[in-house]
């Protein structure tokens, strides 16, 4: 393999020895990436979900003051919980949660965190390009700031969509029901488990940005097909509409739900958009960042840095 002209003495001696990944960088899950080109995106999504469930590594639903579910680690109330009946009278609902159940999970929170992580990765890549500036060609010096600007545009759009989604789902009047999806045999909330596996899958897919294994967001598109069933508690939705609210409020509830559902889908589409922009930026700068001449094949390990 030809050593780049602007390589350091150490790199020239080692012949493109793998550079140590930056602190905090994360390598895609072994075995995940090659599968995408063989068994298909939907199959990979399902395999990742099952792996997360079996190893306990998925990012679980995190409870907070605005969540509507008890904070993580706090015992769940398994006795009757108070609710509001059709006529507005207090009723007892067996198996309810002390704080009720949110209808929508916090996809906005996941979107902001993923967008920030992707943006940070591109900013780090630009720092690598600048550190190698003396050895860059004219086109390489131009491509770095241009691709960064494109990513910044997507970051702003993503955050605006996330803010809108947060405002909608956190509606004081409609956001939580007196009860949600029943606990499983282990006393666990299936909706939280399902959403936790989803967040883990999204993050693992996004780590392929900039690598040869990226598939233009096809795996994310597969997730979007089943998005609403994943990020909502449909039992809580039904209970809220048909049991907790008076009939006069149901039309307003339906409007709120439909608007929020549409915004959640739009927000996930923004995640797909920023991931594509980040992939383009990382591919455009990988030669300049690591001292490879334009046109030379860059080893896979550098793409994930």
């Amino acid at each position: 393999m030809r050593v780049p002209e602007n390589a350091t003495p150490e790199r020239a001696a080692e012949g493109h020895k793998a550079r140590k990944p930056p602190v905090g960088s994360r390598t895609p899950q072994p075995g995940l990436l090659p599968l995408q080109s063989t068994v298909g995106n939907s199959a990979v999504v399902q395999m990742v979900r099952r792996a997360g469930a079996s190893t306990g590594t998925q990012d679980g639903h995190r409870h907070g003051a605005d969540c509507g579910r008890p904070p993580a680690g706090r015992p769940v109330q398994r006795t009757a919980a108070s609710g509001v009946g059709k006529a507005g009278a207090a009723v007892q609902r067996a198996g309810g949660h002390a704080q009720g159940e949110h209808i929508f999970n916090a996809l906005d929170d996941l979107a902001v965190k993923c967008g920030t992580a992707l943006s940070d990765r591109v900013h780090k890549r630009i720092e690598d390009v600048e550190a190698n500036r003396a050895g860059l060609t004219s086109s390489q010096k131009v491509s770095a700031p241009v691709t960064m600007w494109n990513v910044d545009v997507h970051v702003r759009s993503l955050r605006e969509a996330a803010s809108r989604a947060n405002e909608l789902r956190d509606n004081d009047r409609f956001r939580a029901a007196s009860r949600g999806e029943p606990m499983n045999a282990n006393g666990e909330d299936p909706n939280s488990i399902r959403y936790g596996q989803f967040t883990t899958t999204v993050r693992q897919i996004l780590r392929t940005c900039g690598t040869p294994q990226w598939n233009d967001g096809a795996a994310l598109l597969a997730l979007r097909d089943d998005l609403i069933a994943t990020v909502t508690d449909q039992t809580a939705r039904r209970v809220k509409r048909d049991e907790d609210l008076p009939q006069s409020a149901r039309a307003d509830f339906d409007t709120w739900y439909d608007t929020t559902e549409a915004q959640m889908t739009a927000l996930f589409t923004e995640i797909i958009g920023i991931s594509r922009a980040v992939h383009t930026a990382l591919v455009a700068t990988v030669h300049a960042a690591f001292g490879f001449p334009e046109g030379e094949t860059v080893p896979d390990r550098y793409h994930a840095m």
Side-chain angles (χ1 to χ4, degrees), residues 6-8 19 124-146 285-292 294:
N6 61 334
T8 63
R19 167 176 156 168
K124 179 60 176 65
R125 174 62 62 80
I126 300 304
E127 290 176 3
D128 291 336
V129 172
E130 289 301 313
N132 196 32
R133 191 172 184 80
L136 302 184
T137 64
S138 297
S139 63
Q140 287 175 333
K141 291 177 182 178
V142 171
S143 67
V146 169
T285 56
V286 67
H287 287 80
F290 301 111
F292 289 88
E294 292 184 89

Side-chain angles (χ1 to χ4, degrees), residues 231-244:
V231 302
T232 62
D233 184 331
Q234 289 296 324
T235 299
R237 175 195 179 187
R238 178 187 59 76
V239 168
K240 184 67 175 181
R241 184 191 187 280
D242 297 337
E243 300 180 25
D244 295 348

Side-chain angles (χ1 to χ4, degrees), residues 86-151:
K86 296 181 179 180
V91 296
Q92 295 293 311
R93 307 202 183 280
H97 293 257
Q99 299 181 40
E101 288 289 354
H102 259 189
I103 295 171
F104 286 94
N105 281 299
L107 180 63
D108 49 290
D109 181 63
L110 173 66
V112 170
K113 289 178 179 177
C114 288
T116 298
L118 289 170
S119 177
D120 288 348
R121 190 175 169 197
V122 175
H123 277 285
K124 179 60 176 65
R125 174 62 62 80
I126 300 304
E127 290 176 3
D128 291 336
V129 172
E130 289 301 313
N132 196 32
R133 191 172 184 80
L136 302 184
T137 64
S138 297
S139 63
Q140 287 175 333
K141 291 177 182 178
V142 171
S143 67
V146 169
T147 54
M148 187 66 253
W149 180 85
N150 288 336
V151 171

Side-chain angles (χ1 to χ4, degrees), residues 9-20:
E10 293 80 3
R11 184 171 177 182
E14 296 178 9
H16 287 341
K17 182 178 179 181
R19 167 176 156 168
K20 183 178 180 180

Side-chain angles (χ1 to χ4, degrees), residues 70 77 121 143 151 194 202 206 237-239 255 283 297:
Q77 176 179 327
R121 190 175 169 197
S143 67
V151 171
R194 189 165 58 245
V202 169
L206 292 178
R237 175 195 179 187
R238 178 187 59 76
V239 168
T255 298
V283 169
T297 299

